[in-house]
Amino acid sequence: MNQLEQLTKLQRKQEESQPFSENDKKILKQLSQCNSSYYKAKIIDMLIYELEDWSYEILKVMVKDQDRLVAEMAVRSLANFIKAKDFANLLEEFEECTDFIKYDIVDMIGYIGFKRKLSDDVIKERMQEILSKLKKDSRAVYSTYAELYYVTKEEKYIYKILKDLKSKDEDIRHHILYTIDGIIIENNLKSKKLLNDHKQFLLKNGTKIICEYGI
């Protein structure tokens, strides 16, 4: 049986609410490390409905996948498990991962803290701890500031995100815009101007950044 046939069989089994056997779990683990990013994405789609230790361990390995999209999907899927140890150790466990993945990991740590109903002070303390461990040029700094803004509502964190907007690095500018856009949507900010030394953003309808001057 080839990989596509194996995957199709497992998908059908899940759709029919049939429990996976130990052999099925072994096949899922093998497919999660195959050469096809498409198959890996399908595996992740299946694993988010299997909130058990075996599926959690498969996703943990997939976070290190060389395909960035697969790795990002795996990180975000881990949030479904809402494990306290992930709030405490997730970033440190994946210290060797790329900045792109760390950005998502910080986002998920904040989400787990919120879903576990941890106090704002606890989440703030964890984010400040993370911030102290990140390199200043890490993309994850932006998601950390965003999480700090969510729990404190202090606008200084927005300005800290915006301060690098003049960077010549297009990827940095992308992360800044992506992060600010997320804050606008999450907090339903309306008709509000955010200023820093270099730029002015016009926020419209609480959902979109509609101008980006000179970059």
Side-chain angles (χ1 to χ4, degrees), residues 15-154:
E15 289 168 0
E16 294 173 354
S17 299
Q18 297 181 40
F20 289 132
S21 67
E22 290 304 312
N23 188 55
D24 292 334
K25 295 172 186 177
K26 289 179 181 178
I27 293 172
L28 281 164
K29 184 175 181 179
Q30 291 170 356
L31 289 174
S32 73
Q33 296 301 303
C34 71
N35 293 324
S36 170
S37 295
Y38 175 77
Y39 289 175
K40 290 176 188 176
K42 290 297 182 182
I43 292 297
I44 292 173
D45 286 342
M46 295 172 67
L47 293 180
I48 60 176
Y49 297 105
E50 304 294 330
L51 299 181
E52 300 180 36
D53 287 345
W54 65 268
S55 53
Y56 176 80
E57 293 304 323
I58 292 175
L59 286 169
K60 277 293 198 66
V61 174
M62 296 183 82
V63 172
K64 299 178 181 179
D65 199 278
Q66 293 196 359
D67 185 308
R68 186 171 131 197
L69 178 59
V70 170
E72 288 175 348
M73 288 178 65
V75 171
R76 296 192 171 277
S77 296
L78 283 178
N80 291 288
F81 292 81
I82 315 178
K83 289 181 177 283
K85 63 182 181 181
D86 282 345
F87 180 81
N89 301 315
L90 190 63
L91 185 71
E92 289 76 5
E93 187 170 346
F94 293 103
E95 184 62 33
E96 300 306 313
C97 282
T98 66
D99 276 348
F100 299 105
I101 302 306
K102 286 181 182 178
Y103 180 99
D104 284 323
I105 287 175
V106 172
D107 194 29
M108 289 304 98
I109 291 170
Y111 174 81
I112 290 167
F114 172 75
K115 294 300 285 186
R116 288 188 66 86
K117 295 181 169 52
L118 301 180
S119 74
D120 287 349
D121 286 343
V122 170
I123 297 174
K124 179 181 177 181
E125 182 180 355
R126 175 64 175 135
M127 289 302 151
Q128 289 175 332
E129 177 189 14
I130 288 172
L131 198 59
S132 71
K133 295 179 179 180
L134 292 172
K135 294 179 180 178
K136 289 185 179 180
D137 60 350
S138 171
R139 311 298 190 267
V141 166
Y142 304 124
S143 51
T144 309
Y145 283 141
E147 294 302 325
L148 283 166
Y149 174 75
Y150 293 145
V151 298
T152 67
K153 293 300 183 287
E154 295 179 18

Side-chain angles (χ1 to χ4, degrees), residues 139 142 163-174 176 198-199 212 214-215:
R139 311 298 190 267
Y142 304 124
K163 71 180 177 62
D164 293 330
L165 194 56
K166 254 188 167 181
S167 171
K168 295 181 180 180
D169 187 326
E170 183 178 355
D171 187 67
I172 288 177
R173 300 199 305 272
H174 165 78
I176 291 169
H198 311 298
K199 301 291 171 180
E212 179 186 355
I215 61 175

